[in-house]
Amino acid sequence: MLRFLLILVLLLAGGAAAAWYDYDRFLTTPVAIDGDGKTFTIERGWSARRVSKELVAEGLIDKPHWFDIYMRVSGKSAAIKSGEFVLDNLLTVPELVDVFIAGHTRQYTHSIIEGVNWRQMLMRLATAEMLGQTLDSVNENTLMAAIGYPDLHPEGQFFSDTYRYPKNTNDVEYLKRAKRTLDQVLAEEWDLRDPDLPLENSYQALILASIVEKETAVAAERPLIAGVFLSRLKKRMRLQTDPTVIYGMGERYDGNIRRSDLTTDTPYNTYTRAGLPPSPIAMVGREAIHAVLHPEATQSLYFVARGDGTHQFSETIEQHNAAVRKYQLRR
């Protein structure tokens, strides 16, 4: 009996040693990734056991029981994050788990372009790579309700920038981030604004910034164009800017603006109405906001496009009419 028990103990010890050796080798050997790397996706709500099954299915590990034991012993099961991960071929299992915990997922990018309106923005957003689409057939009210601002007009409310996002992000989450960024930038710029601007609040600054954005093809002209518009507001002159008229025309705009369009009243026609329009007319970036709140000092009250992206600025109506004849009527 003693001899039998001794043999049994030796067998158990040998088995334990072999198991420990196999477990240690599992943890220290890099996972099976060929080539330059591999993507692996963890969906929301997956448990550590589900992750181990998917790792086996993807051919990355072949002993899920050791993976499950490691996750229990390490206490890391609840820390794994969802997302799409890019894995290299030098990762051991503990390093692999740390990648999942750190949440360094593959990132995609999409830009909101300066000068687009909210409908154009949504059309482009629908083509964004790996971005979940939930905003089918929205109007201006349902769009803003979806991101938590049901009483706000959507125009100009999303900051023009390039945003990075992981797989499983949806369009509402993307737009909420763009809205938060706009609010932050606008507040920062408003707090540092020049004194004596004829603007009552930051929303008026955003409206004027959208007009500057639509009028400007050359970035260096933004502060000067902003200075012209602010001078006109101070003198209670109408802004008389074509982009607001075009915005008010909506679907009637066919690429041409006619004299009759300039005299047809809409809430956005700054030829027929004084002051600012009721909302922005496009998305803007920081540069346009900054230009409006830090305008270039100028005596100019008029400008006309030269046809090469720049403008001719004038202080008097006589100078302006001459510039119109030179740069517009001859064309």
Side-chain angles (χ1 to χ4, degrees):
M1 180 64 69
L2 289 175
R3 187 177 300 168
F4 173 77
L5 290 175
L6 179 60
I7 293 172
L8 181 60
V9 169
L10 291 174
L11 289 173
L12 290 174
W20 175 256
Y21 173 79
D22 192 50
Y23 176 68
D24 183 67
R25 186 174 63 174
F26 174 79
L27 294 182
T28 57
T29 301
V31 297
I33 299 176
D34 296 327
D36 296 329
K38 181 179 179 63
T39 60
F40 180 78
T41 300
I42 299 177
E43 301 291 350
R44 291 178 181 175
W46 279 10
S47 66
R49 184 175 293 274
R50 174 64 186 275
V51 171
S52 71
K53 290 181 179 179
E54 295 298 327
L55 288 170
V56 172
E58 292 285 336
L60 297 175
I61 64 173
D62 59 359
K63 297 178 179 178
H65 56 285
W66 287 143
F67 185 89
D68 295 340
I69 289 174
Y70 172 75
M71 296 304 293
R72 288 197 297 269
V73 170
S74 65
K76 296 179 178 180
S77 296
I80 290 178
K81 296 179 173 62
S82 63
E84 185 179 24
F85 298 87
V86 179
L87 310 176
D88 63 41
N89 57 5
L90 298 176
L91 291 171
T92 63
V93 167
E95 291 170 340
L96 178 68
V97 172
D98 288 342
V99 169
F100 297 157
I101 291 174
H104 296 157
T105 58
R106 179 179 179 181
Q107 299 290 300
Y108 299 87
T109 61
H110 181 77
S111 300
I112 297 177
I113 306 299
E114 292 95 335
V116 301
N117 61 42
W118 70 270
R119 291 182 176 85
Q120 294 168 330
M121 177 194 69
L122 288 184
M123 289 176 62
R124 293 192 71 257
L125 196 63
T127 68
E129 185 179 12
M130 290 296 178
L131 189 70
Q133 303 296 324
T134 66
L135 295 172
D136 295 334
S137 303
V138 296
N139 58 38
E140 61 186 58
N141 296 319
T142 55
L143 168 61
M144 298 309 290
I147 67 166
Y149 296 85
D151 300 322
L152 188 62
H153 192 282
E155 201 62 83
Q157 292 300 323
F158 304 97
F159 188 68
S160 294
D161 202 356
T162 297
Y163 297 92
R164 294 167 58 86
Y165 57 90
K167 183 181 178 180
N168 295 326
T169 302
N170 65 39
D171 46 11
V172 170
E173 293 168 332
Y174 178 98
L175 291 174
K176 284 182 177 180
R177 181 180 172 192
K179 170 59 176 167
R180 289 195 302 269
T181 304
L182 174 80
D183 292 344
Q184 178 181 346
V185 171
L186 188 58
E188 291 172 357
E189 293 289 343
W190 179 255
D191 287 344
L192 298 174
R193 68 190 182 277
D194 288 354
D196 302 324
L197 297 177
L199 301 170
E200 296 179 3
N201 50 54
S202 61
Y203 189 65
Q204 288 191 350
L206 183 63
I207 293 173
L208 188 54
S210 73
I211 298 173
V212 170
E213 192 72 76
K214 293 296 290 184
E215 283 281 15
T216 313
V218 177
E221 286 190 348
R222 285 191 183 111
L224 183 52
I225 288 179
V228 171
F229 284 136
L230 289 164
S231 293
R232 293 181 73 91
L233 288 174
K234 286 181 179 180
K235 293 177 178 294
R236 299 186 182 277
M237 298 173 65
R238 293 179 181 177
L239 294 182
Q240 296 183 323
T241 172
D242 292 355
T244 62
V245 177
I246 292 170
Y247 188 85
M249 292 171 65
E251 294 182 358
R252 291 192 296 109
Y253 180 63
D254 60 4
N256 295 307
I257 186 168
R258 302 166 181 83
R259 184 175 296 275
S260 59
D261 297 321
L262 301 180
T263 58
T264 300
D265 184 53
T266 74
Y268 290 88
N269 190 335
T270 52
Y271 285 84
T272 60
R273 299 196 182 196
L276 294 166
S279 79
I281 60 172
M283 306 303 163
V284 303
R286 184 185 288 269
E287 292 78 9
I289 296 172
H290 186 83
V292 165
L293 297 175
H294 303 276
E296 184 173 330
T298 180
Q299 297 298 313
S300 296
L301 294 171
Y302 310 90
F303 59 86
V304 63
R306 292 192 178 106
D308 62 357
T310 65
H311 294 85
Q312 178 67 41
F313 294 84
S314 304
E315 296 182 10
T316 68
I317 189 61
E318 292 78 16
Q319 293 172 345
H320 177 63
N321 288 337
V324 170
R325 288 192 295 270
K326 179 178 180 180
Y327 293 109
Q328 294 291 321
L329 297 185
R330 74 179 185 182
R331 296 165 55 200

